[in-house]
Amino acid sequence: MAFELPKLKYAYDALEPNIDARTMEIHHSKHHGGYTSKLNSAIVGTDLEGKTIENILSNLDMDNKAVRNNGGGFYNHSLFWEVMNPEGRGRLSGELKEAIEAAFGSFDAFKDEFSKAAATQFGSGWAWLCVHKGGKVEVCSTPNQDNPLMPDVSCGGTPILGLDVWEHAYYLNYQNRRPDYIEAFFNVINWNEVEKRFANAK
């Protein structure tokens, strides 16, 4: 079955003033929609058809640019929408909080590390919080639509929190002020969802 553009669980304007409605509409319907249709075109009639996106990316031929770029774009954005919410739902707690404090020393230190990864990613890309088997977490960044599931990227594990730092994710509202956008992202993180992903992945 072909991949489908996931529906958002909140309205396009629900994340304002942190992320504006026009950016959300264009980002979801046009950019994510484009990755979805191009991914389907890239895998139709191949042995990748019918596989999960996680299976496709984990066993990816990195020279297959169409699947690398559009499969990554599909997966990354699907996660991105899920780890945000308009209500500040949940606070970091439990085993994930313990894992973050063990890895970084404190939540503030983690926030600094994650923000640095996002701010210093040259050009387009993503910042990630990933979890390895056993529960160890790390922060990293990847270029373009690459992600930690793919072979031969700069970090591994399962991504449980991701921030899109392509200009299309923030330029209408923030222009070149990427650090302001990164700071605003922390106002809309759905920690309940991130903790659920941590529990499933570790």
Side-chain angles (χ1 to χ4, degrees):
M1 189 173 74
F3 291 104
E4 295 182 355
L5 177 66
K7 295 180 180 178
L8 297 185
K9 296 178 180 178
Y10 42 83
Y12 285 139
D13 64 356
L15 303 180
E16 290 188 337
N18 298 288
I19 302 178
D20 63 285
R22 184 64 175 148
T23 294
M24 286 293 299
E25 180 180 5
I26 295 170
H27 198 173
H28 176 255
S29 66
K30 303 301 184 184
H31 290 279
H32 197 184
Y35 290 124
T36 305
S37 62
K38 290 175 184 176
L39 170 62
N40 287 327
S41 296
I43 65 173
V44 66
T46 74
D47 60 359
L48 300 178
E49 195 171 12
K51 294 185 176 180
T52 67
I53 190 61
E54 292 83 2
N55 185 281
I56 290 172
L57 298 182
S58 297
N59 299 283
L60 182 64
D61 174 1
M62 295 292 274
D63 290 327
N64 187 336
K65 298 294 176 124
V67 176
R68 179 178 180 176
N69 293 335
N70 294 296
F74 176 81
Y75 175 89
N76 296 354
H77 287 88
S78 297
L79 183 149
F80 186 51
W81 312 131
E82 290 287 324
V83 298
M84 294 189 295
N85 75 90
E87 302 165 4
R89 188 175 298 126
R91 293 187 176 276
L92 180 62
S93 61
E95 291 186 357
L96 177 56
K97 183 174 185 288
E98 293 172 2
I100 284 176
E101 290 175 347
F104 303 101
S106 67
F107 175 79
D108 286 342
F110 152 70
K111 182 179 177 181
D112 289 345
E113 189 74 15
F114 187 91
S115 298
K116 180 180 178 182
T120 60
Q121 171 57 45
F122 182 76
S124 301
W126 292 75
W128 304 102
L129 174 65
C130 306
V131 58
H132 297 269
K133 293 297 183 184
K136 182 180 179 181
V137 294
E138 73 167 314
V139 162
C140 65
S141 62
T142 56
N144 302 315
Q145 295 296 352
D146 288 357
N147 67 51
L149 295 181
M150 297 176 177
D152 303 321
V153 298
S154 59
C155 59
T158 301
I160 58 174
L161 179 68
L163 175 59
D164 188 345
V165 293
W166 284 61
E167 285 190 342
H168 66 237
Y170 62 89
Y171 205 81
L172 289 181
N173 197 27
Y174 293 97
Q175 290 82 52
N176 64 333
R177 304 189 312 277
R178 185 189 286 186
D180 292 348
Y181 162 69
I182 296 167
E183 181 66 27
F185 173 68
F186 278 88
N187 296 329
V188 294
I189 293 176
N190 183 347
W191 284 112
N192 287 353
E193 177 66 24
V194 181
E195 289 177 17
K196 182 176 74 175
R197 289 173 179 269
F198 172 79
N200 291 338
K202 73 183 181 67

